[in-house]
Amino acid sequence: MSLRVIGEATPVTDDDAFRREIREWLAAELTDEVRGAGGVGRENEAFEQRLAFTRRLAAAGWSTLAWPAAHGGRGASLAQQVIFHEEYARAGAPSRVDHIGTTMVGPTLIDLGTPAQQRRFLPALASVRELWCQGYSEPGAGSDLAGVTTRARLDGDRWVITGQKVWTSLAHVADWCFVLARTAPAPAGGPRSAGLSYLLVPMRQPGVTVRPIRQLTGDSEFNEVFLDDAVTEAELVVGEPGQGWKVAMATLAYERGAATVGQQIGFQRDLDDLVAVARTTGATADPALRERLTRAWIDLTVLRTHTLRVLRDPQPAASSVIKLLWTRWRQGLGELAVDVLARGDADPAAVARWQTYFLFSRADTIYGGSNEIQRGIVAERVLGLPRQARG
Ligand SMILES: Cc1cc2nc3c(=O)[nH]c(=O)nc-3n(C[C@H](O)[C@H](O)[C@H](O)COP(=O)(O)OP(=O)(O)OC[C@H]3O[C@@H](n4cnc5c(N)ncnc54)[C@H](O)[C@@H]3O)c2cc1C
C-alpha cells in the first residue's frame, strides 16, 4: 500500500512531465517490428530495425540523456535517468545497439578526451552514426587485464598496432574500437599497468580482421579481432600515452549506472513471462517450483530496492555488489526456467527463448569482471582484507 494523505492533491512535478514525455514518445514510435527484440543472447535479432529505432531515439535526444548539455546531451538528473530506463523497459522497447558507444566511450571522451577528439566523435556517437566495440580482453589477459600484450608504436603521425583481442562483443558491426595496448615497457619494479595506452582504432581497414566466435547459444555476438599493423592517427590516444590504464578503468566505471534499473524492470518482465509458462506446463502445482518462483520475486524486489538506494547514496564497491546479485538472480531464473519447462508441453517459441536465456546467462558471471573478481573487490574495499598477491 502506498502512503498518501487523503484529500491532498499530488503536485505535478517536472519528473511527472518528463515521464509523460517519454511515455508519449514511445507510444508513438514503438512498432511491432522492434517491440521486445534483442535481449539476453539475442544481440543479432532484428539488428537493422533496432539500429534504426535507436537512431530515432537518438534524434529525439533520449540516448544521450545523461550527457551534459554542453556536449549535446540533456543533462538529465539521476531521477530522470531512472524514469527513462523504467519507461523504456516497461514499454517493451528493444535492446539498444549503442550501449558501448553512448554509455562507455562517450562519457570517457567527455571527461578525458581532447576538445578535438570530442568534436570528432561525440556528434557521431550521439546520433548513433558510428558503432563501437571494446578491445580489452586478449587470449592471455582477461581478469588480469594489465597483462595485455597487444603492442602499438608511434610511426610518424600514426600508431601501428599488432596483437589479438578476444570476446569482442559486436566487433562485427562496429566502426571503431577502443583498444588497450602496450606502448612502452612497464617500469622495473613499477606497476604492470604503466606503459599501456588507450587508442581509438577504426575497424574498417586492411589491418583489422574480425572472426566471429560461435557461442553456446548457436549465435555469434562476440569475436576474435586480429590487429596486424592496424593503424590509427597519432592524436587518437585518450589521455597521455602510457597512462591509458586510468582511462580504461574510467570507461568501466561508466558501464551501467541508471540503466541497471531498466535492466531490472526487464527482469520483472522475464519473471512474469516465466510464471505464465509455469501455468501452462502445470509447474505451478509443484510446491518446490512455486516456492522458487516466489523467491525469485522476493530477491528481485530486494535487488531493486538496494539498487535505487545505492544510486542515490553511493556505497563502496556498490557496482560489484549489484553485479554479484543480478548475475546470481538471472542465472537462477534460467535454471528455474529449465525446471519449469521440464514439467510439461510448452509453446516451442517459449522453449527456444528460455533455452537461449539459460545458456547465455552462464556468461553473466564472466563478462564485465567475473564474480570472483567482484568478490575480491568487495573483500578489499569493503572488508579491508589484505590485497591479493598478483603476478
Ligand atoms: C559474453 C561476453 C562478452 C564479452 N565482451 C567483451 C568485450 O566486448 N570486450 C572485451 O574486452 N572483453 C569482453 N569479454 C571478456 C571478459 O571481460 C572476460 O572473459 C573476463 O574478464 C574474464 O577473463 P578471462 O575470460 O580471460 O578469464 P580468466 O581471467 O582467465 O579467468 C578464469 C577464471 O579464473 C578466475 N580468476 C581469475 N583471476 C582471479 C583472481 N585474481 N581471483 C579469483 N579468481 C580469479 C576467474 O573468475 C575465472 O573464473 C566478454 C566475455 C563474455 C563472456
Side-chain angles (χ1 to χ4, degrees):
M1 193 173 66
S2 64
L3 289 173
R4 245 186 85 200
V5 182
I6 295 170
E8 210 176 58
T10 310
V12 175
T13 63
D14 285 355
D15 288 349
D16 294 331
F18 182 85
R19 191 181 289 279
R20 247 195 334 271
E21 190 189 339
I22 177 60
R23 248 185 215 172
E24 284 169 8
W25 190 88
L26 287 166
E29 295 289 332
L30 195 55
T31 59
D32 288 343
E33 191 182 48
V34 289
R35 201 184 304 276
V40 186
R42 295 183 287 131
E43 202 53 66
N44 289 316
E45 186 177 88
F47 187 85
E48 287 304 321
Q49 293 87 336
R50 283 164 51 219
L51 175 61
F53 180 82
T54 308
R55 285 184 173 150
R56 290 207 300 281
L57 192 74
W62 295 112
S63 59
T64 50
L65 208 55
W67 289 17
H71 290 291
R74 273 180 78 158
S77 66
L78 180 61
Q80 289 178 338
Q81 293 174 48
V82 168
I83 290 170
F84 168 79
H85 289 292
E86 279 178 351
E87 293 301 324
Y88 192 87
R90 248 180 223 136
S95 91
R96 282 165 57 178
V97 301
D98 63 330
H99 162 68
I100 299 173
T102 40
T103 65
M104 296 176 83
V105 192
T108 304
L109 292 178
I110 287 170
D111 281 352
L112 301 167
T114 63
Q117 288 166 353
Q118 292 171 349
R119 275 195 303 278
R120 174 156 180 189
F121 291 108
L122 293 182
L125 277 162
S127 58
V128 198
R129 273 202 316 280
E130 291 175 340
L131 298 176
W132 286 74
C133 62
Q134 175 189 14
Y136 283 10
S137 304
E138 297 183 0
S143 306
D144 182 24
L145 192 56
V148 298
T149 58
T150 291
R151 292 183 179 276
R153 66 186 159 81
L154 207 48
D155 179 13
D157 59 357
R158 55 190 204 162
W159 293 100
V160 180
I161 310 144
T162 306
Q164 186 197 339
K165 297 293 173 179
V166 74
W167 320 126
T168 320
S169 300
L170 298 175
H172 53 294
V173 290
D175 302 290
W176 288 87
C177 184
F178 49 100
V179 170
L180 194 60
R182 183 156 292 284
T183 51
R192 286 159 66 234
S193 56
L196 295 172
S197 297
Y198 188 105
L199 302 173
L200 309 177
V201 180
M203 290 294 283
R204 300 180 203 283
Q205 58 166 310
V208 175
T209 306
V210 176
R211 196 185 291 164
I213 300 174
R214 193 169 146 88
Q215 288 162 252
L216 202 59
T217 54
D219 202 1
S220 298
E221 300 178 350
F222 57 25
N223 306 268
E224 293 178 289
V225 176
F226 298 90
L227 304 156
D228 298 302
D229 289 341
V231 291
T232 196
E233 294 162 34
E235 56 270 26
L236 295 189
V237 54
V238 184
E240 291 299 316
Q243 293 180 24
W245 185 255
K246 191 178 74 179
V247 186
M249 293 303 110
T251 300
L252 291 182
Y254 301 124
E255 203 170 351
R256 286 224 173 260
T260 314
V261 174
Q263 184 194 40
Q264 291 168 8
I265 303 250
F267 288 175
Q268 182 64 55
R269 181 191 302 279
D270 295 341
L271 178 57
D272 293 345
D273 290 351
L274 186 61
V275 169
V277 173
R279 288 186 205 282
T280 67
T281 62
T284 48
D286 179 328
L289 290 177
R290 288 168 68 97
E291 184 181 326
R292 283 169 67 193
L293 287 165
T294 310
R295 273 196 197 177
W297 181 85
I298 292 167
D299 289 348
L300 184 55
T301 307
V302 171
L303 171 59
R304 189 165 148 67
T305 309
H306 176 71
T307 303
L308 288 170
R309 190 165 73 95
V310 297
L311 274 173
R312 291 195 186 103
D313 177 19
Q315 311 276 320
S319 61
S320 293
V321 174
I322 289 173
K323 181 160 192 246
L324 286 162
L325 292 173
W326 79 251
T327 53
R328 201 182 57 187
W329 189 88
R330 191 152 77 178
Q331 283 189 349
L333 196 73
E335 288 156 12
L336 179 52
V338 170
D339 291 338
V340 163
L341 289 168
R343 299 302 302 227
D345 289 336
D347 169 37
V351 174
R353 175 199 165 179
W354 285 105
Q355 236 164 29
T356 302
Y357 195 99
F358 167 74
L359 292 172
F360 192 87
S361 66
R362 309 319 294 170
D364 288 344
T365 48
I366 303 172
Y367 62 80
S370 73
N371 279 25
E372 289 76 15
I373 294 298
Q374 306 297 348
R375 278 192 287 272
I377 292 171
V378 174
E380 289 176 16
R381 298 202 196 145
V382 180
L383 299 181
L385 301 188
R387 271 176 75 80
Q388 201 185 26
R390 291 184 174 87

